[in-house]
Amino acid sequence: MAALIAENFRFLSLFFKSKDVMIFNGLVALGTVGSQELFSVVAFHCPCSPARNYLYGLTAIGVPALALFIIGVILNNHTWNLVTECQYRRTKNCSAAPTFLLLSSILGRAAVAPITWSVISLLRGEAYVCALSEFVDPSSLTAGGEGFPRDHATEILARFPCGEGPANLSGFREEVSRRLKYESQAASAAAAQTKAEPVGQSQWRAQPSLSFIKASCRWQLCDP
């Protein structure tokens, strides 16, 4: 009977701890969304120039996400607990299984902000349109029964994200924007779907893994 009661208390403890993790992840996601909106309004300005658009668009999506991931790893207390303990025991003496579980927890929590940044960036579509507008096949574009002119096609397509270009090609500009935003939003939905479950699973495993590490290795520095 006592064992059953203790097991129930343990389950409830893990349940509420997992809720705390969900709340934390939600706050991180909301902060990331706000930062992304601010970045889009204040800092994002597509150069609308061939060869520069691609680098700028990918940088706007990838570099902030990478920076958020690194910051998330650095600010996690368990990162330094793991480093300190492995230095104390020497790397070869660290137990592989508990180390892997703790590392999964660290990376899973650090991935929340960069995944949110990437998903929102792709959902908005501005950076994606900026990066790939010049690579749209001109022969695939039609507007009013007319084809896209081949002369200086790359230069014209690269200017579309800024709303520039010859006035008689405005129909093509809307078609390019609509096509690329569709691709970007489809990629956003796919990224959200494929990444949500692994991150959620890693967060649920976070607290049990710490208990397992303590029991297996007697780590004194891994208090949550």
Side-chain angles (χ1 to χ4, degrees):
M1 185 66 179
L4 179 61
I5 295 175
E7 185 65 23
N8 288 334
F9 273 114
R10 179 177 177 276
F11 174 78
L12 290 174
S13 175
L14 292 177
F15 176 79
F16 285 114
K17 285 182 179 179
S18 70
K19 292 299 182 182
D20 290 341
V21 171
M22 292 173 61
I23 294 172
F24 173 81
N25 289 345
L27 293 176
V28 171
L30 287 175
T32 305
V33 170
S35 299
Q36 211 284 333
E37 292 291 332
L38 182 63
F39 173 82
S40 298
V41 172
V42 177
F44 183 82
H45 300 288
C46 185
C48 294
S49 173
R52 296 173 59 191
N53 283 12
Y54 182 71
L55 293 176
Y56 187 87
L58 291 185
T59 298
I61 297 174
V63 171
L66 179 61
L68 288 171
F69 179 77
I70 294 174
I71 292 172
V73 171
I74 292 175
L75 294 182
N76 193 321
N77 290 333
H78 297 315
T79 301
W80 304 110
N81 293 339
L82 180 62
V83 171
T84 302
E85 189 65 22
C86 282
Q87 286 180 343
Y88 175 74
R89 293 174 176 271
R90 303 301 176 91
T91 303
K92 63 181 180 180
N93 294 327
C94 284
S95 181
T99 300
F100 174 77
L101 289 174
L102 183 56
L103 186 60
S104 298
S105 171
I106 293 170
L107 297 180
R109 178 169 290 190
V112 173
I115 289 174
T116 303
W117 179 278
S118 300
V119 168
I120 297 300
S121 296
L122 291 172
L123 188 62
R124 292 178 62 89
E126 295 176 352
Y128 188 91
V129 172
C130 176
L132 298 182
S133 62
E134 63 186 279
F135 298 104
V136 175
D137 184 8
S139 63
S140 66
L141 299 174
T142 57
E146 299 182 358
F148 192 86
R150 295 299 185 92
D151 296 336
H152 307 290
T154 301
E155 289 79 2
I156 295 174
L157 289 170
R159 293 166 57 191
F160 278 176
C162 295
E164 301 175 355
N168 61 324
L169 299 181
S170 59
F172 293 105
R173 182 170 62 247
E174 295 175 359
E175 172 64 20
V176 169
S177 177
R178 182 166 53 250
R179 181 185 302 183
L180 292 178
K181 284 188 175 181
Y182 167 80
E183 295 177 0
S184 180
Q185 291 171 1
S188 174
Q193 181 66 27
T194 57
K195 294 298 183 181
E197 184 175 353
V199 171
Q201 289 177 349
S202 68
Q203 299 308 318
W204 173 254
R205 290 196 302 264
Q207 296 300 333
S209 68
L210 295 178
S211 300
F212 177 67
I213 289 169
K214 290 179 180 180
S216 300
C217 299
R218 296 182 178 278
W219 283 9
Q220 303 299 321
L221 300 175
C222 293
D223 293 328

